[in-house]
Amino acid sequence: WTLLSIEQDEEGEHQLEAPIEADPSEDGRMTDRARVEAAVADVLPEGVTHAEVDDEDAATALAKARDLSLADQRFDPDVIDATVRRAVAAWAEAVDGDDAAFARVARPDLLGELLHPPGNGRSLRLVVRAPVVLETTLLRVDSEAAPPTATVHMRLRGVRYVEDRDTLDLVAGSRDREARFDGTWTLALDGPDDAPWRVAAVLDDQAAAPSRAAGS
């Protein structure tokens, strides 16, 4: 066992209510990993581009992704959802723990953008605890980009606040109450086999900017 992170008492209360995973089959991360592993085994033949098999008449981004997944399972919406869940969990882990998991599923320069809101240099830190992905919506799939991209809007729930790293003063949000918040990320299909989609851009700051009224 290695020490992963340390939470204040009020921050760690969610651990007492989190579901107990007594068996690996109860761990949703195992299902996500298996789904991604199967998808990576069924990709386009060498020399064929995604734009060639794209249905330009697809009515929605979701329909486009499903159509592309017939030729390349990495476009399966469930695989994209799995990427979002993994990246959100890794984001929370990186708040005061190891950032290696986030680096595996996102471009390195994004971590600072997500953890340090604008203002006062890097003294402000965004803290997210036990975030849960409530819903994801595919907004756009670009098969002609190199690499292909998928833009996803997320609805999240969790404890989220901004603190001054030097004084630990609460700047915004609440340390002991959950809040719902949104975010929009662009994923790029340029990652390793165990994480083919990676967070390539953060398109808004709703997920990183709680209300400045403490307790909101």
Side-chain angles (χ1 to χ4, degrees), residues 164-183:
D164 188 304
R165 299 183 70 190
D166 297 329
T167 65
L168 298 185
D169 289 340
L170 183 67
V171 176
S174 172
R175 288 191 174 106
D176 54 13
R177 289 198 301 176
E178 287 189 335
R180 291 193 178 187
F181 50 101
D182 295 354

Side-chain angles (χ1 to χ4, degrees), residues 54 61-62 64-65 68 75 80 138-143 149-151:
D54 190 2
L62 180 61
K64 180 186 286 285
L68 283 165
F75 282 86
I80 296 174
L138 263 175
L139 301 180
R140 186 168 186 263
V141 175
D142 188 351
S143 63
T149 61
T151 300

Side-chain angles (χ1 to χ4, degrees), residues 22-111:
D23 187 275
S25 64
E26 300 172 358
D27 188 347
R29 294 170 298 181
M30 297 286 288
T31 302
D32 286 345
R33 285 196 290 268
R35 182 177 288 118
V36 170
E37 183 178 341
V40 169
D42 185 11
V43 300
L44 285 181
E46 187 175 352
V48 179
T49 67
H50 293 96
E52 292 180 72
V53 297
D54 190 2
D55 180 8
E56 297 182 357
D57 296 326
T60 64
L62 180 61
K64 180 186 286 285
R66 286 173 173 165
D67 184 70
L68 283 165
S69 72
L70 298 176
D72 186 337
Q73 283 194 25
R74 293 175 297 179
F75 282 86
D76 188 322
D78 287 340
V79 172
I80 296 174
D81 284 352
T83 297
V84 171
R85 287 191 292 270
R86 180 177 176 181
V88 168
W91 172 28
E93 181 179 327
V95 169
D96 53 6
D98 192 354
D99 59 5
F102 189 82
R104 190 71 176 171
V105 294
R107 293 180 178 169
D109 57 311
L110 292 181
L111 186 57

